[in-house]
Amino acid sequence: MKSWKPEVIADNSGKWCGNALRFATKEEAEADVQDLMMRWFAVRETRVVESEDEPNYRRVDGRSVPIK
């Protein structure tokens, strides 16, 4: 495991969906998905799962920013 990725269920399909954001820590991914849930009205469930991808985002001052 190299990173954590946030995922949501945002419709009636029950399908988990994510994006390309990968975080070094589970806590960062959880903060990102909670932020997303507050902005999207249709989110039904959230989770973070392990990923083999390299981290490409981090949380800074309550925002997700790309790692350069």
Side-chain angles (χ1 to χ4, degrees):
M1 192 280 301
K2 295 182 181 178
S3 65
W4 295 89
K5 62 181 179 177
E7 295 184 336
V8 300
I9 296 176
D11 59 21
N12 291 328
S13 72
K15 180 181 175 187
W16 290 101
C17 299
N19 53 26
L21 278 63
R22 302 293 183 267
F23 296 90
T25 68
K26 185 176 183 180
E27 292 76 18
E28 286 180 310
E30 288 172 342
D32 179 78
V33 81
Q34 290 301 312
D35 184 52
L36 178 65
M37 184 177 71
M38 298 305 290
R39 291 183 282 121
W40 286 15
F41 296 109
V43 172
R44 298 177 185 275
E45 292 186 53
T46 66
R47 70 178 183 183
V48 296
V49 295
E50 296 178 11
S51 171
E52 291 299 320
D53 300 330
E54 293 291 330
N56 61 1
Y57 272 76
R58 61 191 173 116
R59 296 287 292 182
V60 176
D61 298 325
R63 295 180 342 154
S64 296
V65 296
I67 296 173
K68 295 180 182 176

